[in-house]
Amino acid sequence: MKYKLILEYFGANFHGWQKQKNLRTVQGVLEETLSKIYNKNIFVQGASRTDSGVHAYGQVATFLPPNFSLKPEKLKKALNSLLPWDIKVKKIEMVPISFNPVKDSKAKYYIYKIYNMDYLSPFYYKRAYLVKRTINIFHFEKILKVFIGKKDFAAFCDKEIKEKKDTVRMLFDIFVDKSEENIIDIHFLGESFLRYQIRRIVGTALACYFNKISLNDILKAFQTKETLPYSVPGEGLYLMKVFYKDLDQK
């Protein structure tokens, strides 16, 4: 057996999930804290390598403790008492040692937040992306629907990823609503996502909405695989949940 953690963190204070030398990362802070508790080096594996600035409400991570003297609830309290304010553990449970947070995931759910007003509220600084021009969410959603389905997203991901790995991904659904008067939430549910994929989709959809490119330009990009030069910053992106059962069983 090993421990499975569900985490939430304020991504603006981290250089992404993955541990990097001389940089503050979520994995690095978590491993350092666990190592203090167990007095032994601990390796943590995360379900998603969130980029710099990206937030999480439902990141999943696992680790194998040197012993099970601390039960899940006591370990959760110990971790949250030692972890800094910008990362906390929501839940801990025991799972089979064969459980892999990456390979066993069935789907991931993200939200991208747009602050649609003429200025950015200080309460949403580094928590949402400011778009000053008015967006009609129904028209905007129609553009985003083009990205749904099993497609080759080579034109909508990191260039290095594009050259090294398969870029076909299944996007189950995208829909748009408002969580607050000025907050537009773009919901993404997909089997898995490429690096920068969601941010490039949002940036491209905004470019289309504001008539910088046409819908045909987007469809053409899927065919040619040529990267379109549109993206949005990571500060508006939130990992909400990682699914480990078939979606019809959730």
Side-chain angles (χ1 to χ4, degrees):
M1 301 294 284
K2 60 183 176 182
Y3 283 134
K4 172 189 170 189
L5 288 67
I6 299 179
L7 311 164
E8 58 184 7
Y9 48 84
F10 178 58
N13 291 346
F14 296 94
H15 292 271
W17 164 268
Q18 191 171 4
K19 193 173 181 179
Q20 300 178 62
K21 189 175 181 180
N22 299 323
L23 291 176
R24 188 173 189 261
T25 67
V26 179
Q27 183 185 24
V29 170
L30 193 56
E31 287 183 354
E32 182 182 340
T33 306
L34 282 167
S35 297
K36 287 179 180 178
I37 291 174
Y38 288 103
N39 198 27
K40 186 175 182 179
N41 289 336
I42 301 292
F43 169 74
V44 176
Q45 183 180 20
S48 178
R49 293 182 179 181
T50 52
D51 291 318
S52 180
V54 176
H55 314 288
Y57 277 109
Q59 172 72 285
V60 175
T62 60
F63 77 95
L64 180 64
N67 59 70
F68 291 92
S69 58
L70 284 174
K71 299 306 179 185
E73 195 57 35
K74 284 190 175 181
L75 177 58
K76 176 187 169 184
K77 289 180 180 178
L79 272 169
N80 283 336
S81 68
L82 294 173
L83 285 167
W85 70 268
D86 46 11
I87 173 172
K88 294 298 175 184
V89 179
K90 298 171 72 174
K91 184 180 179 181
I92 299 179
E93 61 183 347
M94 296 181 74
V95 293
I97 198 166
S98 60
F99 176 81
N100 186 301
V102 179
K103 294 180 180 179
D104 290 341
S105 70
K106 301 296 183 182
K108 292 175 182 175
Y109 168 40
Y110 285 86
I111 290 179
Y112 195 90
K113 290 184 175 290
I114 292 175
Y115 198 86
N116 196 206
M117 202 172 171
D118 60 341
Y119 69 91
L120 180 64
S121 164
F123 294 104
Y124 278 94
Y125 176 66
K126 293 189 176 181
R127 290 176 170 86
Y129 175 56
L130 175 65
V131 176
K132 295 182 179 181
R133 296 168 67 182
T134 302
I135 297 174
N136 180 301
I137 63 172
F138 301 105
H139 294 161
F140 187 44
E141 186 179 75
K142 286 182 180 179
I143 297 170
L144 286 160
K145 293 292 185 184
V146 171
F147 295 93
I148 294 175
K150 190 172 185 179
K151 302 175 185 290
D152 190 337
F153 286 92
F156 307 96
C157 67
D158 178 39
K159 290 182 179 180
E160 291 184 11
I161 297 293
K162 177 179 176 180
E163 295 169 358
K164 294 179 181 178
K165 64 191 293 186
D166 177 25
T167 50
V168 175
R169 291 293 184 273
M170 178 65 188
L171 233 171
F172 298 118
D173 195 15
I174 304 175
F175 66 93
V176 183
D177 60 17
K178 284 190 172 184
S179 55
E180 296 179 32
E181 183 180 357
N182 300 311
I183 301 293
I184 296 173
D185 287 345
I186 310 167
H187 303 257
F188 292 85
L189 181 64
E191 197 169 46
S192 63
F193 293 90
L194 298 161
R195 190 179 188 190
Y196 302 154
Q197 182 182 344
I198 292 176
R199 291 162 59 183
R200 287 190 179 277
I201 288 174
V202 174
T204 301
L206 284 170
C208 183
Y209 183 84
F210 291 120
N211 298 315
K212 293 181 180 178
I213 58 172
S214 68
L215 204 57
N216 283 335
D217 290 327
I218 296 176
L219 297 175
K220 184 179 178 181
F222 275 114
Q223 295 177 336
T224 63
K225 301 182 182 181
E226 292 183 10
T227 303
L228 293 173
Y230 304 104
S231 187
V232 288
E235 60 199 31
L237 186 57
Y238 295 74
L239 172 59
M240 302 302 293
K241 186 172 183 178
V242 183
F243 293 92
Y244 290 97
K245 293 182 180 180
D246 293 337
L247 293 178
D248 58 359
Q249 297 177 0
K250 70 179 187 291

